[in-house]
């Protein structure tokens, strides 16, 4: 695989049982590239290591006044230099290719796993960990994978040189062959400690990065409550911990590097001292002494790769472990689909709860538990985060469909949709039927003020569609982000659309217009909305109330307000005493009616009924009338 051929048609099925197994799987799947790197590495290191023999031959030929051998030595040096240049060039090319292709394979595997799991991924693994694996960790993994072949070439070259020295000059060759293993293995006792210190540094750096990200994301809130300095002090402390950990780690690696420099120097002194005595005794010539001396000097170069492979493995092992942990995650249901690819139509039904959303109807679902509502929404989309009974669309189990078919048939927008960075035009460029245009979708989602704000905040363009949206839409308010996400979902125009609290962050007047717009745009299409907002519920064709995970009542909004006390308690935020009174048959009218509580003050989240801002006067009067009529 070459860089220009990326991405891989199929990155394969990884061995994610452990970090080392994953690294070995990557190495095996890049065997062709590894063999190329090994071949070029052998040419490079062998050419470098052969130069001392050529130099020794040239010196000895001068001492012996042999012009023929001097010319031969010169020719051999030219060949060694040429081999060194060619080998080094193509070794670098092969190594970089192995690095990039290994990293690309890991990124493709992570992207495929993310698409497969969907929103269930962040329920099982922190989003920050997924980002860390797909950015910094893939580079460390690629570093180790490409370093293996260079290390192997260096190790083979050292063995060949040692054998050649023993054959060429046994007296000095024995000294070298005994000393080199000591040089190579001397740092092994220090590697576990160096690895632990590097892990501590990475953990502290990750916590500091997470703290910085949270601080930036909540900067508006921090400024409002005067908490900027508090969080800045926390980040300063975390940053200092990272610095101290980095210094401790650097000290250990510098000690390893110092040993890698000191021990070859000691070996060189031993060779020279022993060689001088042999030369005085006449047992070796000057050229042979120079050859052995130069060989030991040159061998310090391939020996450095022992340190590099140790560092690469110590850094890549925890990265591979994190990647394997993410790649080992599986969907709670069938991942390939036992049925043929199709896009079924019909009623959307969940056997576990008894929820039925008739085809072509606007169905609202009221559930007192937000977590239960989120899990049910995922199950209706055919990709639940937990094992259980499959939802049916037109009688077809969604879990048995290929994932692509299930997601084409049913689109689920969760309560916290993500806006990708880029222009608004790119954000709305999603797979769609073509029946709903961007203008109609934006109008139905009441995005007029959002478009105006984007146009005013963008330089160099008057077209809001070309305005850029920052990362996760952080430059927009919560309500603006929700409305753009809703418009994106409407453009896709799926056969069945499931929306989980799509208007929880907008004001009441905008919410009413959104309800009308969505109802009109989705006429004749199946729409399921999880909400407790009276404005949405009053415009639904059918309301399903869930209690304790099962359907407790079905009907219209005003009908359920009069006949189902538990439904009324969820929608109007009745107190427990009022709900108990209704359930026991005690007329609630005996107690004076009172206006709805300021839930924002009690919850402390600055929201009323799950929405930003306060209720309007009309909303309050509407709530009071409902309570009085019920009483």
């Amino acid at each position: 695989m070459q860089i220009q051929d990326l991405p891989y048609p199929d990155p394969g099925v990884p061995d994610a049982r452990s970090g080392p197994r994953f690294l070995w799987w990557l190495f095996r799947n890049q065997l062709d590239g590894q063999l190329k790197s090994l071949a070029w590495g052998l040419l490079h290191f062998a050419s470098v290591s052969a130069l001392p023999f050529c130099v020794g031959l040239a010196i000895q030929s001068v001492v012996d006044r042999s012009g023929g051998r001097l010319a031969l030595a010169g020719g051999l040096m030219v060949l060694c230099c040429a081999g060194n240049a060619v080998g080094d060039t193509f070794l670098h090319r092969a190594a970089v290719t192995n690095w990039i292709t290994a990293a690309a394979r890991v990124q493709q595997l992570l992207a495929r796993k993310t698409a497969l799991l969907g929103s269930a991924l962040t329920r099982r693994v922190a989003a920050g960990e997924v980002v860390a694996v797909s950015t910094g960790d893939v580079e460390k993994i690629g570093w180790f994978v490409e370093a293996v072949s260079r290390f192997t070439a260096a190790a083979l070259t050292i063995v060949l040189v040692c054998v050649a020295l023993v054959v060429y000059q046994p007296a000095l060759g024995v000294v070298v062959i005994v000393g080199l293993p000591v040089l190579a293995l001397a740092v092994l006792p220090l590697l576990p400690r160096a690895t632990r210190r590097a892990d501590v540094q990475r953990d502290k750096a990750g916590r500091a990065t997470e703290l910085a990200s949270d601080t930036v994301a909540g900067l508006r809130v921090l400024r409002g409550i005067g908490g900027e300095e508090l969080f800045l002090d926390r980040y300063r402390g975390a940053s200092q911990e990272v610095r101290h950990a980095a210094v401790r780690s650097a000290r250990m690696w510098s000690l390893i590097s110092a040993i890698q420099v000191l021990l070859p120097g000691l070996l060189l002194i031993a060779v020279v001292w022993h060689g001088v005595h042999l030369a005085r005794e006449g047992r070796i010539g000057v050229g042979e002494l120079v050859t052995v001396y130069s060989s030991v000097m040159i061998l310090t170069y391939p020996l450095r790769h022992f340190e590099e492979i140790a560092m690469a493995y110590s850094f890549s092992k925890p990265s591979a472990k994190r990647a394997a942990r993410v790649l080992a995650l599986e969907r709670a249901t069938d991942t390939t689909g036992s049925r043929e690819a199709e896009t079924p139509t019909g009623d959307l039904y969940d056997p576990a709860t008894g929820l039925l959303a008739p085809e072509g109807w606007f169905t609202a679902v009221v559930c007192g538990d937000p977590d239960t509502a989120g899990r049910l929404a995922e199950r209706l989309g055919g990709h639940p985060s937990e094992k259980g009974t499959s939802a049916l669309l037109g009688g077809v189990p969604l879990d048995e469909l290929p994932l692509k078919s299930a997601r084409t048939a049913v689109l689920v927008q969760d309560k916290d949709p993500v806006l990708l960075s880029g222009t608004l035009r790119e954000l709305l460029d999603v797979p769609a039927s073509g029946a709903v245009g961007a203008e109609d979708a934006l109008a139905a989602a009441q995005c007029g003020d959002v478009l105006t704000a984007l146009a005013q905040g963008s330089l160099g363009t008057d077209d809001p569609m070309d305005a850029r949206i920052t990362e996760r839409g952080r430059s927009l308010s919560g309500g603006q982000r929700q409305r753009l996400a809703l418009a994106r979902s409407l453009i896709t125009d799926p056969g069945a659309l499931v929306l989980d609290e799509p208007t929880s962050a907008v004001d009441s007047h905008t919410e009413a217009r959104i309800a009308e717009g969505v109802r009109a745009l989705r006429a004749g299409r199946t729409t399921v909305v999880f909400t407790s907002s009276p404005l949405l519920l009053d415009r639904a064709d059918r309301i399903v109330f869930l209690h304790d995970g099962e359907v407790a009542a079905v009907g219209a909004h005003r009908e359920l307000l009069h006949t189902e006390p538990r439904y009324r308690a969820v929608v109007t935020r009745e107190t427990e005493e009022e709900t108990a009174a209704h359930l026991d048959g005690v007329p609630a009218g005996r107690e004076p009616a009172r206006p709805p509580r300021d839930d924002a003050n009690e919850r402390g989240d600055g929201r009323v009924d799950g929405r930003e801002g306060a209720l309007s006067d009309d909303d309050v009067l509407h709530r009071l009338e409902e309570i009085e009529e019920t009483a």
Side-chain angles (χ1 to χ4, degrees), residues 38-56:
L38 176 60
W40 292 118
L42 285 173
L43 176 61
H44 169 58
F45 291 122
S47 299
V48 172
S49 302
L51 282 173
F53 292 93
C54 299
V55 172

Side-chain angles (χ1 to χ4, degrees), residues 16 51-52 83 95 115 127 163 305 329 338 355 369 378 401 496 536 541 595:
L51 282 173
V163 172
H305 288 75
L329 299 176
S338 55
L355 169 64
D369 184 3
E378 291 179 345
L401 289 173
L536 284 174
D541 298 325

Side-chain angles (χ1 to χ4, degrees), residues 40 43-44 47-48 78-88:
W40 292 118
L43 176 61
H44 169 58
S47 299
V48 172
V78 171
L79 288 177
C80 289
C81 291
N84 180 23
V86 173
D88 190 23

Side-chain angles (χ1 to χ4, degrees), residues 344-563:
T345 58
D347 297 342
L348 186 59
Y349 177 66
D350 178 49
T353 59
L355 169 64
L356 174 65
E359 182 181 11
W361 285 37
F362 189 142
T363 302
V365 181
V366 177
C367 182
D369 184 3
D371 292 334
T372 301
R375 290 192 294 270
L376 177 55
E378 291 179 345
R379 193 158 63 245
L380 291 177
H383 42 89
S385 57
E386 301 175 354
K387 291 185 178 181
T389 307
S390 172
L392 307 177
L393 181 61
V396 177
L398 290 172
D399 291 356
E400 297 180 5
L401 289 173
L403 187 60
K404 183 177 181 180
S405 299
R407 289 178 173 172
T408 301
V410 183
L411 175 66
V412 179
Q413 176 182 305
D414 60 22
K415 60 173 59 67
D416 188 22
V418 176
L419 300 183
L420 302 178
S421 59
T423 64
L424 180 57
R425 194 183 308 278
E426 293 170 342
L427 176 70
L428 301 180
D429 185 16
V430 293
S433 66
V436 177
E439 183 177 350
D440 295 333
L442 291 168
Q446 299 300 310
C447 294
D449 62 318
V450 184
L451 299 179
T452 302
L454 287 174
Q456 293 175 348
S458 299
L459 299 177
T461 179
D462 295 329
D463 188 353
M465 297 298 291
D466 294 327
R468 295 200 65 82
I469 298 175
T470 57
E471 180 188 4
R472 300 181 68 89
R474 285 174 175 164
S475 60
L476 304 173
S477 68
Q480 290 174 330
R481 288 195 299 270
Q482 268 196 342
R483 283 178 280 166
L484 287 179
L486 176 60
R488 179 179 58 186
S489 299
L490 294 174
I491 286 177
T492 61
D493 190 36
L497 176 62
V498 179
L499 304 172
D500 189 2
E501 295 289 354
T503 59
S504 61
V506 301
D507 61 84
S508 301
H509 299 291
T510 305
E511 187 177 31
R513 294 194 296 269
I514 290 176
E516 293 292 348
V518 173
R519 178 184 174 88
L521 192 64
R522 293 286 300 171
R525 310 287 273 172
T526 305
T527 305
V528 180
V529 180
F530 288 83
T531 184
S532 59
S533 167
L535 294 172
L536 284 174
L537 296 173
D538 196 41
R539 289 160 176 80
D541 298 325
R542 188 172 186 266
I543 294 176
V544 179
F545 173 60
L546 298 179
H547 183 70
D548 291 337
E550 295 182 353
V551 173
V554 178
H557 171 56
R558 297 182 182 274
E559 174 189 352
L560 292 177
L561 281 175
H562 288 278
T563 60

